[in-house]
Amino acid sequence: MRMIDLIASLFANFCILVTFVFFSGRLAKKYAFLNGTKVTPLAGVGAGILFGLFGMILMSYSFLAGTGTYVNLLHLTIVITASYLGWLPTLVCAFILAICRVIFYDSSYNSVATAIALLLYGILCSWVSVLPWTRLRKMMVGNLLWMGLFLALLLQTPMESLSILYFYPIQLLISISAVLIVYYIAEHIQRSNEVFTQLEVRATTDYLTGLNNLQQFHRHLETEMAQAERHQESLSLLAIDIDHFKVINDTYGHPAGDEVLRQLTRRLCQHSRSHDIVSRNGGEEFTVLLPDCPLLQAKSAAERLREAVENELFLLPSDNRITITVSIGLACYPETVPVADGRLLVQSADQALYHAKNTGRNRVSINSPASDSSNI
């Protein structure tokens, strides 16, 4: 019966682990943290705590194999953390499990020795996590390291308790099988999340410039307009169009036109505030959304952008250097558009842009509240 109890306990551990991996995958999809290259220190500590809590649950499904000796798969939480999240979450997870091993069970020699082994194991897995190995190799090596440490602990038990070694081969076989299954499940979730992220980026980003596309611009506009109305702040919008862009395409070819768009993107981003929202709305049309920016400040920002474009050379694929100019239409809530309506803000900026292009180009224009366009 004890062998059946051991298998039942380890199977319960395995089911809980699979649930943990699935739950973590959902969190990763929402918060994009299940990727060692993107984990910030704060997110790493949080992830380590999360997986430490997972391991605590596994402790409650342990099999008592002998006096003070418990069999479970909680070490796999450390293995998973090391393979997917990096060294910092691994150390945090191991520290939590070591403390809980002493608190939840008695403070006997076995509990203290196991806690020390968990800390040592966390250090070893942290080292493994930074090695240039595949995740499967890291998981297999990490699993075997623990089974080696666990065997060393078993050999330190009194001779009359060595009967628990009878269970060791079963635990080794089940833990190796669990590593393989959990790895393939985690990899499937990882690939699914990566595909989802790529699709999300493609749905919101302009393929050529990497800026927000038209749909994402409207989402930002709706959000920023609601915030401006709620906090009684100004919201300005610059509608930007490249002057005579068709001439560039006709003279130098469409690859040259694409390069101009990319270089203009860099200039717009360089000369905008970090929290301004730059978008490509289609063709040679760009917008810059300026949160908490009143009219006079937005006018200065628009002139700065216009001058930056006019005074810099654009390098084409043919090594030709050309200059371009842009026309800019400016609208501001509530100074030129008194109603908190994103559609009206866009319409006002477009009318101002139309006025700028029809009164000489390479200038900034603004629409008055009475819809009378005037050049600035």
Side-chain angles (χ1 to χ4, degrees), residues 278-335:
V278 185
S279 307
R280 182 190 178 199
N281 289 29
E284 66 272 26
E285 299 175 5
F286 294 78
T287 57
V288 181
L289 196 60
L290 300 92
D292 192 19
C293 184
L295 183 62
L296 289 179
Q297 185 177 339
K299 172 187 174 182
S300 298
E303 285 291 351
R304 184 172 63 250
L305 290 175
R306 186 193 63 78
E307 291 175 1
V309 174
E310 181 184 27
N311 295 329
E312 296 184 33
L313 294 175
F314 286 69
L315 178 62
L316 304 183
S318 60
D319 290 333
N320 290 322
R321 296 178 182 271
I322 64 172
T323 59
I324 68 170
T325 61
V326 294
S327 299
I328 303 177
L330 168 61
C332 179
Y333 165 80
E335 295 175 75

Side-chain angles (χ1 to χ4, degrees), residues 144-159:
L144 293 176
L145 282 174
W146 173 253
M147 295 308 299
L149 286 173
F150 186 64
L151 179 60
L153 288 174
L154 293 181
L155 294 176
Q156 298 301 315
T157 59
M159 291 300 296

Side-chain angles (χ1 to χ4, degrees), residues 245-374:
F245 183 69
K246 185 176 184 300
V247 175
I248 298 175
N249 281 330
D250 293 343
T251 303
Y252 300 101
H254 288 280
D258 291 344
E259 184 58 31
V260 167
L261 293 175
R262 283 190 286 263
Q263 292 185 38
L264 177 62
T265 295
R266 289 194 290 270
R267 285 161 173 74
L268 293 179
C269 293
Q270 289 170 357
H271 295 280
S272 298
R273 301 175 301 177
S274 60
H275 59 281
D276 290 340
I277 301 169
V278 185
S279 307
R280 182 190 178 199
N281 289 29
E284 66 272 26
E285 299 175 5
F286 294 78
T287 57
V288 181
L289 196 60
L290 300 92
D292 192 19
C293 184
L295 183 62
L296 289 179
Q297 185 177 339
K299 172 187 174 182
S300 298
E303 285 291 351
R304 184 172 63 250
L305 290 175
R306 186 193 63 78
E307 291 175 1
V309 174
E310 181 184 27
N311 295 329
E312 296 184 33
L313 294 175
F314 286 69
L315 178 62
L316 304 183
S318 60
D319 290 333
N320 290 322
R321 296 178 182 271
I322 64 172
T323 59
I324 68 170
T325 61
V326 294
S327 299
I328 303 177
L330 168 61
C332 179
Y333 165 80
E335 295 175 75
T336 67
V337 179
V339 181
D341 188 325
R343 182 182 59 83
L344 294 179
L345 188 70
V346 172
Q347 184 179 34
S348 180
D350 284 342
Q351 289 174 352
L353 174 62
Y354 181 80
H355 178 268
K357 294 184 76 67
N358 283 276
T359 54
R361 304 177 189 269
N362 189 25
R363 63 186 62 202
V364 178
S365 290
I366 184 173
N367 240 17
S368 68
S371 298
D372 293 327
S373 298
S374 59

Side-chain angles (χ1 to χ4, degrees), residues 97-338:
L97 293 179
I99 295 298
C100 293
R101 181 62 176 83
V102 176
I103 294 177
F104 287 174
Y105 298 95
D106 57 79
S107 57
S108 64
Y109 168 79
N110 281 348
S111 291
V112 174
T114 303
I116 294 174
L118 284 169
L119 288 175
L120 176 60
Y121 180 59
I123 295 173
L124 291 173
C125 284
S126 297
W127 172 70
V128 169
S129 71
V130 301
L131 295 176
W133 292 349
T134 64
R135 284 192 282 256
L136 177 59
R137 186 178 180 184
K138 290 179 180 179
M139 292 181 72
M140 292 300 295
V141 170
N143 179 57
L144 293 176
L145 282 174
W146 173 253
M147 295 308 299
L149 286 173
F150 186 64
L151 179 60
L153 288 174
L154 293 181
L155 294 176
Q156 298 301 315
T157 59
M159 291 300 296
E160 61 271 14
S161 300
L162 286 179
S163 59
I164 60 178
L165 290 175
Y166 173 69
F167 301 110
Y168 183 81
I170 301 299
Q171 183 186 9
L172 177 61
L173 178 62
I174 291 178
S175 65
I176 292 176
S177 301
V179 163
L180 292 173
I181 296 174
V182 168
Y183 166 76
Y184 284 109
I185 293 174
E187 285 298 300
H188 175 74
I189 294 174
Q190 182 89 347
R191 287 193 296 270
S192 298
N193 287 349
E194 289 173 354
V195 170
F196 175 82
T197 300
Q198 292 173 2
L199 291 176
E200 191 173 41
V201 168
R202 291 176 183 176
T204 60
T205 305
D206 174 60
Y207 75 97
L208 181 63
T209 63
L211 296 176
N212 300 300
N213 61 16
L214 181 60
Q215 289 181 323
Q216 188 69 0
F217 161 74
H218 283 294
R219 294 190 188 99
H220 283 301
L221 176 62
E222 182 178 351
T223 300
E224 296 298 334
M225 181 61 79
Q227 181 168 319
E229 182 181 23
R230 184 167 55 252
H231 297 289
Q232 297 183 341
E233 297 175 344
S234 298
L235 177 64
S236 296
L237 174 65
L238 307 181
I240 304 170
D241 190 271
I242 301 176
D243 297 328
H244 305 295
F245 183 69
K246 185 176 184 300
V247 175
I248 298 175
N249 281 330
D250 293 343
T251 303
Y252 300 101
H254 288 280
D258 291 344
E259 184 58 31
V260 167
L261 293 175
R262 283 190 286 263
Q263 292 185 38
L264 177 62
T265 295
R266 289 194 290 270
R267 285 161 173 74
L268 293 179
C269 293
Q270 289 170 357
H271 295 280
S272 298
R273 301 175 301 177
S274 60
H275 59 281
D276 290 340
I277 301 169
V278 185
S279 307
R280 182 190 178 199
N281 289 29
E284 66 272 26
E285 299 175 5
F286 294 78
T287 57
V288 181
L289 196 60
L290 300 92
D292 192 19
C293 184
L295 183 62
L296 289 179
Q297 185 177 339
K299 172 187 174 182
S300 298
E303 285 291 351
R304 184 172 63 250
L305 290 175
R306 186 193 63 78
E307 291 175 1
V309 174
E310 181 184 27
N311 295 329
E312 296 184 33
L313 294 175
F314 286 69
L315 178 62
L316 304 183
S318 60
D319 290 333
N320 290 322
R321 296 178 182 271
I322 64 172
T323 59
I324 68 170
T325 61
V326 294
S327 299
I328 303 177
L330 168 61
C332 179
Y333 165 80
E335 295 175 75
T336 67
V337 179

Side-chain angles (χ1 to χ4, degrees), residues 20-35 38 50 85 186 188-201:
F20 290 166
V21 171
F22 177 78
F23 177 67
S24 300
R26 298 296 294 180
L27 289 177
K29 181 178 179 180
K30 185 174 183 179
Y31 299 107
F33 73 87
L34 194 59
N35 185 331
K38 297 182 180 179
L50 177 65
L85 295 175
H188 175 74
I189 294 174
Q190 182 89 347
R191 287 193 296 270
S192 298
N193 287 349
E194 289 173 354
V195 170
F196 175 82
T197 300
Q198 292 173 2
L199 291 176
E200 191 173 41
V201 168

